[in-house]
Amino acid sequence: DVLAPRSDVVCRNDKVVFVHSQMYVDLCNNLAKVPGRASAVHGLIEAYGLTKELRLVEPRPATVAELTSFHSTDYIHHLRKASAEEDEEKDIDVSEEFGLCYDCPILPGVYEYAAMVAGATLTAAQCLIDGECQVAINWHGGWHHAKKDEASGFCYVNDPVLAILRLRERFSKVLYIDLDLHHGDGVEDAFCCTSRVMTLSLHKFDTGFFPGTGDIQDTGMGRGRYYTVNVPLRDGIQDSQYFSVFNKVVSQTESSYRPEAVVLQLGADGMSGDPMGCFNLTPQGLGRCLELVLDWKLPTLLLGGGGYHVGNTARCWTSLTAQVLGKSLPPDIPEHEHFTEYGPDYELGISPGNRVNHNSDEYIEEVINTVSENLAHVM
Ligand SMILES: CN(c1ccc(C(=O)NO)cc1)S(=O)(=O)c1ccc(-c2ccccn2)s1
Ligand SMILES: [Zn+2]
């Protein structure tokens, strides 16, 4: 049965679902941490003619009931109330209650934004459950730090958790893979005590680096022991080493866990040139990771996440969208509304920087061996 899909969800349509509407892009443009990124991403995907190859599905906002399938009612009600208040009425609420301050300020309309992002990710997950597609994409989702009752790290609602909970209604085992520069702590916390969801995160792990969790010995608790996998990495890692550790760890994870569906968070803040300035990856490196997951032919949900160089994030997610479609793209950025974002080279490719790599081969070897020993307990 190696070739047979592992679940009885037969995909009736091989079109890739791409959740999109202009209103959704506008909302994300204005309220996400990276203003204007949403339209740059969509603009480049459209400029390369990929939207014609995709099945565009309009998002709808998540309901309170859907949001509170993970988040607390108090938190969601507070978010909705605070979001609705006009500036002048609102006493300057810098209370740290619910984490709504500093990195996650209460901006007018932030509730509508968060509910729409969550609704978009749930729309994508539903298409997979209904067998409408094998791959569904929401590049404006992937907000992996939000906790049950707390906004965190630019994340107000944890849409990956909501999607996994929805997928679990249909699939007995769901694998979550997080390739953002930062540890996917909110998703790990949500599922650390269950073996029904396996969370695997490759991320930078270093003293004082946000969020500070995700060390290699954090492997889950109780029935979830060994179903949390953390791959802590250092600054400067490049595609080849990154894919090498990804390939070894994720292949062993898939063969031992045998998931029925996959959620893949593809935050682009590990790209060379990102203002975070940590990893030294290119879209080719993430693309090799994506290829490995797509080869499993499982229902797969692709999400975005971080990515603070607008042009490079659009380059990355456009390249990955083309890869899902099996299309190769011409190297020169097509003329379009956001063309100036791509200067001075105006090319699709991103080259690695010549930065110091703090991941020795010995370190990588040791990480792989430790993770492999832990995975031996997974059945
Ligand atoms: C709130 N922080 C986060 C949280 C989450 C992310 C993220 O991308 N998570 O996936 C990024 C920064 S933070 O304190 O580390 C930072 C805020 C601003 C940062 C920054 C801004 C410009 C250049 C480098 N770093 S880091
Ligand atoms: Zn990040």
Side-chain angles (χ1 to χ4, degrees):
D1 75 323
V2 171
L3 297 179
R6 206 151 296 123
S7 63
D8 56 2
V9 171
V10 177
C11 184
R12 286 189 297 276
N13 178 334
D14 62 355
K15 275 244 165 183
V16 173
V17 162
F18 187 84
V19 184
H20 168 72
S21 73
Q22 193 49 50
M23 186 258 278
Y24 179 41
V25 169
D26 294 343
L27 259 179
C28 293
N29 260 347
N30 300 326
L31 286 159
K33 192 63 190 175
V34 202
R37 190 182 79 172
S39 52
V41 169
H42 187 74
L44 191 60
I45 287 168
E46 196 169 50
Y48 268 109
L50 297 177
T51 39
K52 294 196 299 289
E53 314 285 333
L54 294 159
R55 188 162 153 242
L56 302 187
V57 175
E58 286 219 356
R60 43 99 190 137
T63 62
V64 170
E66 287 171 323
L67 295 171
T68 52
S69 69
F70 170 58
H71 293 287
S72 72
T73 306
D74 284 354
Y75 172 60
I76 294 302
H77 285 170
H78 180 86
L79 186 65
R80 188 163 56 168
K81 180 171 170 289
S83 168
E85 283 166 4
E86 289 307 316
D87 266 347
E88 50 277 7
E89 289 161 25
K90 182 164 58 175
D91 53 356
I92 307 299
D93 174 9
V94 286
S95 68
E96 305 206 351
E97 191 187 17
F98 301 116
L100 293 168
C101 56
Y102 313 122
D103 312 322
C104 300
I106 283 287
L107 306 166
V110 73
Y111 176 81
E112 286 67 26
Y113 157 67
M116 190 59 84
V117 168
T121 294
L122 285 167
T123 300
Q126 195 59 50
C127 290
L128 294 170
I129 290 167
D130 297 343
E132 299 292 320
C133 60
Q134 192 217 306
V135 180
I137 302 174
N138 175 22
W139 289 126
H140 313 307
W143 303 106
H144 56 171
H145 296 305
K147 307 298 186 305
K148 172 184 167 74
D149 46 16
E150 184 184 336
S152 170
F154 308 156
C155 306
Y156 294 93
V157 166
N158 198 313
D159 62 293
V161 168
L162 299 178
I164 291 164
L165 290 171
R166 176 66 59 87
L167 289 166
R168 273 281 296 119
E169 292 170 9
R170 185 75 187 73
F171 302 106
S172 66
K173 289 185 284 180
V174 177
L175 172 61
Y176 173 73
I177 300 173
D178 191 309
L179 301 188
D180 192 283
L181 172 68
H182 300 85
H183 175 231
D185 57 340
V187 187
E188 178 180 295
D189 288 358
F191 301 109
C192 64
C193 299
T194 176
S195 61
R196 294 300 185 167
V197 176
M198 187 154 196
T199 62
L200 190 158
S201 177
L202 280 68
H203 49 269
K204 172 175 174 174
F205 183 76
D206 229 333
T207 314
F209 187 73
F210 186 95
T213 50
D215 201 353
I216 198 161
Q217 74 263 8
D218 297 338
T219 57
M221 292 178 279
R223 276 204 286 262
R225 180 125 190 259
Y226 303 116
Y227 291 87
T228 292
V229 181
N230 281 303
V231 181
L233 300 169
R234 311 291 192 227
D235 277 347
I237 195 163
Q238 293 201 29
D239 288 346
S240 54
Q241 222 178 15
Y242 189 90
F243 180 70
S244 163
V245 62
F246 177 92
N247 183 17
K248 291 197 176 83
V249 167
V250 171
S251 300
Q252 188 183 348
T253 297
E254 196 279 335
S255 57
S256 52
Y257 186 57
R258 313 284 286 163
E260 293 181 9
V262 184
V263 177
L264 178 53
Q265 199 267 20
L266 289 158
D269 43 6
M271 290 292 117
S272 164
D274 193 276
M276 290 292 153
C278 299
F279 285 1
N280 197 7
L281 303 174
T282 75
Q284 281 64 40
L286 275 193
R288 293 177 70 191
C289 300
L290 172 61
E291 203 58 35
L292 190 146
V293 172
L294 293 177
D295 283 349
W296 301 338
K297 302 274 183 278
L298 292 172
T300 304
L301 173 59
L302 304 184
L303 299 174
Y308 304 95
H309 185 297
V310 171
N312 281 3
T313 302
R315 286 181 168 100
C316 182
W317 292 342
T318 299
S319 302
L320 297 182
T321 304
Q323 187 179 326
V324 174
L325 291 167
K327 301 272 177 197
S328 62
L329 298 181
D332 293 335
I333 299 288
E335 178 57 53
H336 70 296
E337 184 189 347
H338 305 273
F339 185 71
T340 53
E341 288 280 346
Y342 301 92
D345 56 344
Y346 301 99
E347 283 177 3
L348 179 63
I350 299 174
S351 308
N354 55 353
R355 301 190 22 248
V356 175
N357 176 14
H358 295 273
N359 301 273
S360 65
D361 287 340
E362 294 71 29
Y363 173 73
I364 293 295
E365 196 62 34
E366 184 194 330
V367 165
I368 291 170
N369 291 338
T370 305
V371 169
S372 182
E373 282 160 18
N374 289 332
L375 282 171
H377 297 84
V378 170
M379 71 275 300

